[in-house]
Amino acid sequence: MDFFQVMSILNGFLTQEDLETLQLKPYADDFSAQFIVFDNALKQALKTGYTEQVIIADDARDAVLTGFLGTVRSLMYFPDAAVADAAAKIMNIIEKYGTGIQRLPQREETAVITNLMQDLRANSADIQSITGLITWVDKLDEANKAFDALYNSRTEKEAEFIVGLTRTERAAMQTDFENLCRGIDAYAFINGEENYKPLANKINTEIANVQQAIKARATMAKNAAANRNPDVSEK
């Protein structure tokens, strides 16, 4: 998807240039035409049917979370002081994660609920002291894990399908991109760099931004893996 994002942005850059004056119109026309083909192939690849299932699972998880939060809030006003006190302690744990958990991006919500479950189970005495509350915790944990499994399954299936369907179109897109860059370099050499430098700089900057984003994601993934396996030392 990073490749598509860059190509989409570069296609937008081309619409802002006087391509006739720069003598780049043939290269730009080929690039834009191939981008349309690539875009259509990608849209077709995304029609795997998993997205709707993920939405349903997310809604189900949010329903359990809403019910759980409502139950804890109501129990804070329970006439039995011990129950009210236990509910207040549980709410304090929940509120560490902020309000509007259901409105977080899907993956972020998954991580928050996962951490919340760990905190709640670490304080299981308060939960166990309130009849029926452990059922809410178990159901929320179950719904969160079900969503995560389905989300990951969708990601894997879509990735496989996208790679298979768009391989040829991506290669063609890469070729037209390289031809465009060669055209810019060639005419900049012939006509002077001044008129071509702004476009070249925008292209180089966008590529550098994406490369930095990819590097940052790789670092985050490495750190997350290290946190999950704290006893495994780096080799």
Side-chain angles (χ1 to χ4, degrees):
M1 295 300 286
D2 291 307
F3 179 77
F4 174 82
Q5 180 183 0
V6 172
M7 294 301 102
S8 177
I9 292 172
L10 299 193
N11 193 48
F13 288 161
L14 294 177
T15 65
Q16 302 167 14
E17 301 293 330
D18 185 349
L19 299 171
E20 293 282 4
T21 299
L22 295 174
Q23 297 176 276
L24 295 174
K25 193 171 188 307
Y27 301 99
D29 287 348
D30 287 346
F31 181 92
S32 296
Q34 182 55 44
F35 177 74
I36 292 173
V37 174
F38 185 45
D39 185 28
N40 289 336
L42 189 60
K43 288 175 180 175
Q44 181 62 35
L46 291 172
K47 295 178 181 178
T48 59
Y50 277 82
T51 298
E52 183 177 357
Q53 297 178 43
V54 169
I55 291 173
I56 293 172
D58 189 31
D59 288 344
R61 175 178 65 177
D62 286 349
V64 177
L65 176 58
T66 299
F68 171 62
L69 296 177
T71 299
V72 175
R73 288 193 184 96
S74 66
L75 288 170
M76 290 171 62
Y77 302 97
F78 200 74
D80 185 318
V83 171
D85 183 59
K89 291 179 181 178
I90 294 169
M91 184 55 68
N92 285 337
I93 295 172
I94 296 170
E95 288 179 344
K96 288 196 309 179
Y97 295 92
T99 59
I101 296 174
Q102 307 95 311
R103 295 190 295 274
L104 293 172
Q106 290 176 334
R107 294 293 283 168
E108 189 175 342
E109 182 180 349
T110 299
V112 166
I113 294 176
T114 298
N115 291 333
L116 174 60
M117 291 297 98
Q118 293 172 354
D119 282 352
L120 290 175
R121 293 192 188 284
N123 293 270
S124 59
D126 290 319
I127 296 173
Q128 295 287 356
S129 69
I130 302 176
T131 302
L133 198 59
I134 189 61
T135 301
W136 279 108
V137 173
D138 289 342
K139 289 297 182 182
L140 180 55
D141 199 9
E142 179 183 311
N144 194 49
K145 289 177 179 176
F147 170 84
D148 194 38
L150 190 57
Y151 185 98
N152 290 333
S153 177
R154 180 193 68 170
T155 301
E156 291 172 4
K157 293 295 182 181
E158 286 186 349
E160 292 171 4
F161 198 51
I162 289 169
V163 168
L165 185 60
T166 64
R167 186 183 299 274
T168 301
E169 289 79 3
R170 188 188 192 286
M173 187 81 260
Q174 179 68 35
T175 297
D176 283 323
F177 170 64
E178 292 172 356
N179 289 341
L180 173 66
C181 291
R182 280 193 289 266
I184 294 172
D185 289 342
Y187 282 107
F189 178 76
I190 295 170
N191 300 325
E193 294 182 358
E194 183 178 354
N195 292 331
Y196 298 87
K197 195 170 183 179
L199 176 59
N201 284 345
K202 287 193 289 187
I203 292 174
N204 291 334
T205 298
E206 192 56 42
I207 292 174
N209 288 342
V210 171
Q211 289 175 336
Q212 184 62 35
I214 292 171
K215 182 179 179 181
R217 288 201 301 268
T219 300
M220 289 175 63
K222 181 179 179 180
N223 291 340
N227 290 334
R228 288 194 299 269
N229 301 281
D231 296 331
V232 179
S233 59
E234 293 187 4
K235 296 182 179 180

